[in-house]
Each structure stands twice: as C-alpha cells, then as structure tokens.
Amino acid sequence: MSLTDAAPETTFNAFTLARHCFELGDPIEAANILAPVAEREPWSRSILELLGRAYFHSAQLTRAEQTFRRIVELDPCDSWAHIALARSLERQSRDSEAAPHRRMHAAMSGGSLD
C-alpha cells in the first residue's frame, strides 16, 4: 500500500500528502492529488502554487502555465507567480510571451531578472 492509496479526507490532508510526494521527488503524484482540490478551491494560493510547481517539475508545462496564470489573475502583484509563469513559457520556447512577466518580476523584486 502506497502513501496515496487512501484518498485524503480533507483539503489540509491532501495538501500535506501532495507536499510530501513533491518533496520525495514525485511531482506527478503530487499533481494528481492536488488537481481535484484546486478545482474545488480555485482561489487557494497555497494549493495553486504547489500544483503549479508539481506540473512544472513533471514537465506538464501547459498545465503549469495555466496554473501560474491563475495565480497572477488572483494577485497581479505576486512577483513569484510572474517569474514562475515566465519560466514555464520559456521552457516552451515562448520567450517573447515570457518577457513581460520576467520584467514585472524584476520591477517588483528590485531589479533581478531571475
């Protein structure tokens, strides 16, 4: 029986289990756990951030992009979300689309483009 054989009963349990899977190097399982939770709670920043990271680290770049765009929509002043979105776009060779988000991150973080 694996960690994820039993369905998490609460949002907190799902998040904790997904974070554990992510930290153990299984971003795909983390995303599988979090995707339905994010559908139920589309405003939850912590869920969306971990889900976006899980998608990014498992090379599900279109899903990562969509998730990071959602975070930017929720909070346009989140510099982390802008750089995460930029990196997702860059990994898809969409540098011109990434550039405004990289610049926004730089402006918010004191000039760093990384």
Side-chain angles (χ1 to χ4, degrees):
M1 182 175 212
S2 75
L3 285 173
T4 57
D5 284 344
E9 295 176 14
T10 67
T11 298
F12 176 77
N13 290 347
F15 180 82
T16 302
L17 181 59
R19 186 178 60 207
H20 185 69
C21 289
F22 185 83
E23 290 170 354
L24 288 175
D26 192 352
I28 293 172
E29 188 60 29
N32 289 338
I33 293 166
L34 287 176
V37 179
E39 286 182 28
R40 289 192 312 266
E41 298 188 31
W43 59 89
S44 174
R45 291 279 310 283
S46 56
I47 291 168
L48 292 172
E49 285 180 14
L50 184 55
L51 178 60
R53 291 175 62 207
Y55 284 146
F56 184 85
H57 286 275
S58 61
Q60 298 179 64
L61 300 175
T62 300
R63 289 180 175 170
E65 173 192 346
Q66 292 166 347
T67 304
F68 295 139
R69 281 190 192 279
R70 175 71 181 134
I71 298 170
V72 168
E73 288 171 8
L74 289 171
D75 184 2
C77 295
D78 184 336
S79 66
W80 180 88
H82 281 282
I83 197 64
L85 177 55
R87 289 180 177 158
S88 294
L89 291 165
E90 289 165 349
R91 281 191 60 191
Q92 296 176 74
S93 299
R94 294 164 55 197
D95 294 346
S96 62
E97 290 177 65
H101 296 285
R102 188 168 281 285
R103 285 192 300 272
M104 184 66 77
H105 166 74
M108 289 185 224
S109 64
S112 172
L113 291 175
D114 293 321

